[in-house]
Every structure is written in C-alpha cells, then in structure tokens.
C-alpha cells in the first residue's frame, strides 16, 4: 500500500508513541507534575496507540522486517532476563511496555513502503514537542535555564532534559535539510523547522546531539553527492562555512563545547567513564553475563549508565548486545546496498545518528526515541508493496437463440 493511502490515524498512533517515549524524569516544571501522573499519561498513550493501530489493521497485515524480527527477539531476551526478578517486578512491567511498543510497530509496518510518510510524521511530532520547550522558555526563562543544569535548556512545561531536547532538535533538523535538498519541501517550511530547532539545540549545549547531527548529515549528503547537484553544492558551502567558523569563532566554539568543565571532568565524559569502569569490573554470574539482570532504569549503583551498549549489557547480557548490534548492522547494510535516493539518505542519517549517540546515551535496548528513529529508517528501507492486480471485468455471456442451437442433420 502506498504512502498516499496511509490512514490519517497512523499519524495519531505515531504521535502517541512519541509521547510514550518522552519519559517521566527530568527538570522541575513551572507547574509541578507528579511523576505518577506523567507515567499514567505516557503509559496510557502507549495502550491507546496499540489499540488504534490494531483497530486500523484488524486483518493483521504485516510487512516482513528484519529490524522488527530482531527487536522481537530482544523482547524475548528481556522477558527471560527479567523473569528472575533481580530488578524487581518493575522489570516485568517494562517488558510489558516493550511488548506493546514492538507490537504497535509491527501493526504499523503494513504502511512501510520506502516513502517519506513516517519521516514527516516524525518531524511534525517532535516539532510539537519542541514547541512546548519554546513555550516554557518564553513563559519562564529561569525555569527553562536552571542553575541545576548549568544554565542549559530544559523542559519547563514537560520534564525534558537537555540531552532529550538536543536529540529531538538534531533529528528533525537533519531530516528537514535532506527533504529540502531533494525539493520535497519549500524553503519557508524548512526554515520554520530548522531555525528554531537550531536555537534550541544551541541552548542545550548538547555535544552528542551536535556531533550526531553534523556527522550524520555528512554521511547522508555524501550518499547523494553522485546523483544530486544540490547535495554537492550544499556540502561545499557547509564545508566552507565550517572552516570560516572554526577560524573566526574558535574561542567561542571551545567555550560552548567545554560547557565550563575542567579538563579532568571532560576527559572522563562528565563522570561517565567511572560508572562504566565500575559496571564492567563488577562480578557477574554466567546467567547475568549472558542474559543480564532484567530491564531496569538504565542505572548502575544508582548512577546513570549513559551508554546504550553497556546498559544493554547490564540488563540483557551479551546476547542482548549481539541483537542490538545485529539490527544496527542489518539496517546499515541494507542502506548501503540501496541505490542513491532521498529515502536512503534519511535512513543513513538516522542510523548513523543513533550509532553515534549510543556512546553517551542509553536507549537502544528498551522503548525509546532511538528505537523510533530506527523504525523510521526501517520504513524508508522497505521495498514498496506490489500493487494489487485489478480483477478482470465480468463480461456477460451472449444469449444464443434456441433455433440457433439446433444442429443441422443432412
């Protein structure tokens, strides 16, 4: 089924999935929101998304997807590791959430046809999220730029952290730039997305999102340079602007990049390296090594892990790490084998962004925006469904008079 025949309710389902993955922990908001209320809203959004996806796809027409197959295996591994209850009953609840999440993606896979429908859904939904961030900044600059986060931008209406905001801004900037290069959107519409998002990204001081955006766009545009003059011109201008900025604004860029941190703090990745070392050196049984300790809150000894691979290793074991690596490699391999196109470029951007961000952010092993980014990439790499043949029209048989049916006997 082509993207032109995608029901509008699919966009609503995608928006509910985005809402579910916003999380419930973050900065203090202008109006205090109980965490239990936020969790009720996000979980209710997921249940509603699954119900709507099932209602619009009652015949359970699914598209074959290696990404969703491997994600389903990861879900099975998560249930096995969580059944030991080392992480408490919360692990089983997180497995249930992941099952609904993966099930909803399977139901939506019917409309994965290699088009940009889900790219546009992705941009619209995250632009709406960034709209709430901008509204919070206008309503209360002090709450949106708190000293607790070093003056970095947070969500003042919904509890969003600087890395979350930076991630959302970087992803929709990259996708919109690619749509603009392929003339799938006009300059005014692109500017409405790109300019405010760049401002919000700068205010978050998020290095991972910035590097992911730059490197992801470089790889994506590089995949178009052989077939697109616009991509070649954009790449040349971007390199020239980057060179001028590096020379003329080196001091300002260094200040922004360091965020006032000491050299020791920067070299330890804001303390992440200490947590990683403690996690890797902690004793583990064979079962914990293979299957992990079950889905948790992506922390170790009360400190955030902030690394997708180590978080998966801790919660789903080395088998889980292998499954996550498999769907990254499969998506990347399929993208490289596709001929140059906008869909391929967008997929390369999303895959490379997730791979880069996985080093300092967790999320590849549980329901998260990163799995949604990769789901969009999978939809872009899907082959279009063959058109259903039209049935031949019924031709009424000509009635033959009875006298003409007699056989002449000579």
């Amino acid at each position: 089924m082509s993207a032109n025949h995608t029901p509008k309710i699919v966009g609503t389902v995608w928006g509910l999935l985005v809402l579910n993955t916003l999380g419930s922990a973050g900065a203090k908001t202008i109006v205090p929101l109980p965490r239990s209320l936020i969790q009720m809203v996000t979980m209710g959004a997921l249940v509603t998304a699954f119900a709507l996806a099932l209602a619009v796809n009652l015949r359970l027409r699914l598209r074959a997807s290696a990404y969703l197959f491997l994600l389903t295996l990861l879900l099975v591994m998560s249930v096995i590791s969580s059944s030991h209850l080392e992480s408490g009953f919360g692990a089983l609840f997180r497995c249930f959430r992941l099952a609904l999440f993966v099930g909803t993606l399977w139901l939506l896979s019917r409309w994965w046809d290699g088009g940009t429908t889900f790219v546009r859904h992705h941009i619209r939904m995250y632009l709406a999220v960034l709209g709430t961030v901008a509204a919070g900044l206008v309503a209360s600059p002090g709450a949106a730029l708190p000293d607790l986060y070093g003056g970095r931008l947070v969500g003042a209406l919904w509890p969003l952290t600087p890395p979350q905001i930076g991630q959302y801004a970087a992803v929709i900037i990259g996708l919109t730039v690619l749509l603009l290069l392929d003339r799938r959107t006009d300059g005014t519409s692109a500017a409405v997305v790109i300019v405010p998002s760049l401002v919000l990204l700068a205010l978050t001081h998020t290095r991972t999102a910035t590097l992911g955006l730059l490197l992801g766009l470089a790889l994506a545009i590089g995949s178009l340079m052989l077939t697109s003059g616009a991509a070649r011109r954009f790449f040349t201008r971007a390199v020239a602007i980057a060179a001028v900025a590096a020379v003329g604004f080196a001091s300002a860029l260094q200040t922004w990049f360091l965020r006032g941190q000491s050299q020791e703090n920067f070299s330890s990745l804001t303390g992440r390296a200490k947590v990683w070392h403690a996690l890797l050196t902690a004793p583990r049984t064979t079962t914990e090594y293979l299957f992990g300790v079950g889905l948790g809150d992506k922390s170790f000894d009360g400190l955030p892990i902030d690394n997708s691979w180590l978080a998966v290793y801790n919660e789903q074991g080395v088998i889980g790490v292998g499954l996550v690596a498999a769907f990254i490699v499969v998506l990347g391999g399929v993208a490289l084998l596709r001929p140059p196109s906008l869909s391929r470029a967008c997929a390369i951007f999303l895959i490379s962004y997730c791979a880069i961000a996985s080093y300092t952010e967790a999320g590849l092993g549980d329901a998260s925006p990163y799995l949604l980014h990769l789901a969009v990439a999978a939809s872009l790499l899907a082959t279009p469904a063959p058109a259903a043949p039209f049935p031949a029209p019924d031709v009424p048989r000509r009635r033959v008079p009875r006298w003409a049916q007699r056989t002449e006997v000579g």
Side-chain angles (χ1 to χ4, degrees):
M1 184 173 291
S2 68
N4 293 330
H5 294 87
T6 303
K8 292 183 179 180
I9 197 173
V10 169
T12 303
V13 173
W14 199 257
L16 291 170
L17 289 178
V18 169
L19 175 58
N20 173 255
T21 57
L22 293 182
S24 59
K28 294 182 180 179
T29 55
I30 299 174
V31 178
L33 299 174
R35 187 173 182 180
S36 58
L37 174 62
I38 298 175
Q39 290 174 334
M40 186 184 304
V41 171
T42 55
M43 193 62 197
L46 180 57
V47 173
T48 305
F50 179 79
L52 290 177
L54 184 60
V56 79
N57 191 5
L58 280 175
R59 296 186 179 181
L60 300 181
R61 295 179 179 175
L62 312 176
R63 292 292 305 276
S65 170
Y67 169 67
L68 290 182
F69 175 73
L70 291 170
L71 203 56
T72 304
L73 290 182
L74 184 64
L75 168 63
V76 174
M77 290 300 307
S78 301
V79 173
I80 294 174
S81 62
S82 300
S83 61
H84 299 289
L85 299 180
E86 290 188 41
S87 299
F89 287 98
L92 294 179
F93 177 79
R94 292 184 180 93
C95 288
F96 173 70
R97 174 175 177 251
L98 181 58
L100 285 180
F101 184 86
V102 175
T104 305
L105 292 180
W106 269 114
L107 292 170
L108 294 181
S109 67
R110 173 184 178 182
W111 294 280
W112 292 5
D113 59 1
T116 59
T117 300
F118 285 89
V119 170
R120 297 182 184 277
H121 288 325
H122 216 51
I123 293 174
R124 291 190 194 104
M125 299 310 166
Y126 281 117
L127 183 62
V129 174
L130 294 179
T132 66
V133 175
L137 177 61
V138 173
S140 179
L145 300 168
D147 294 334
L148 180 63
Y149 283 88
R152 300 170 65 191
L153 180 64
V154 300
L157 298 181
W158 186 277
L160 298 174
T161 62
Q164 285 180 283
I165 299 171
Q167 175 197 164
Y168 306 153
V171 166
I172 67 173
I173 289 170
L175 293 176
T176 304
V177 167
L178 295 174
L179 290 177
L180 182 62
L181 288 179
D182 202 63
R183 298 180 180 178
R184 301 294 183 92
T185 187
D186 59 271
T188 303
S189 300
V192 169
V193 176
I194 295 174
V195 174
S197 300
L198 276 174
V199 173
L200 297 181
L201 175 60
L203 290 175
T204 63
H205 289 261
T206 306
R207 295 180 291 237
T208 299
T210 304
L211 290 175
L213 170 63
L214 296 177
L215 295 178
L217 267 182
L219 293 173
I221 295 174
S223 71
L224 290 172
M225 289 181 65
L226 294 178
T227 57
S228 172
R232 290 191 292 271
R233 290 190 296 271
F234 181 88
F235 189 82
T236 302
R237 294 170 184 171
V239 171
I241 293 173
V244 172
V247 174
F249 303 95
S251 178
L253 290 174
Q254 183 180 13
T255 301
W256 181 90
F257 197 78
L258 289 176
R259 297 196 313 235
Q261 295 176 342
S262 64
Q263 187 66 31
E264 180 183 358
N265 198 15
F266 177 73
S267 61
S268 66
L269 295 172
T270 322
R272 291 183 177 96
K274 298 177 182 178
V275 180
W276 298 348
H277 177 73
L279 171 62
L280 290 173
T281 56
R284 285 179 176 266
T285 65
T286 303
T287 301
E288 290 173 343
Y289 177 75
L290 293 175
F291 301 102
V293 298
L295 291 184
D297 58 359
K298 314 298 176 285
S299 67
F300 181 76
D301 284 343
L303 297 174
I305 297 175
D306 287 337
N307 180 291
S308 284
W309 304 100
L310 292 180
V312 172
Y313 168 72
N314 183 52
E315 298 182 355
Q316 291 132 316
V318 293
I319 298 179
V321 172
L323 290 172
V324 171
F327 63 64
I328 292 286
V329 170
V330 167
L331 287 174
V334 172
L336 292 177
L337 294 175
R338 290 282 191 269
S341 66
L342 172 64
S343 294
R344 179 195 187 217
C346 289
I348 289 175
F349 169 75
L350 291 170
I351 297 166
S352 57
Y353 181 89
C354 291
I356 294 167
S358 67
Y359 184 65
T360 58
E361 294 182 16
L364 287 180
D366 204 347
S368 70
Y370 292 104
L371 294 189
L372 286 181
H373 302 335
L374 294 177
V376 175
S379 76
L380 290 164
L381 297 174
T383 55
F390 290 99
D394 293 333
V395 179
R397 295 182 61 184
R398 182 180 177 185
R399 186 174 182 180
V400 181
R402 184 171 296 179
W403 61 267
Q405 298 176 7
R406 298 174 182 172
T407 304
E408 185 179 10
V409 178

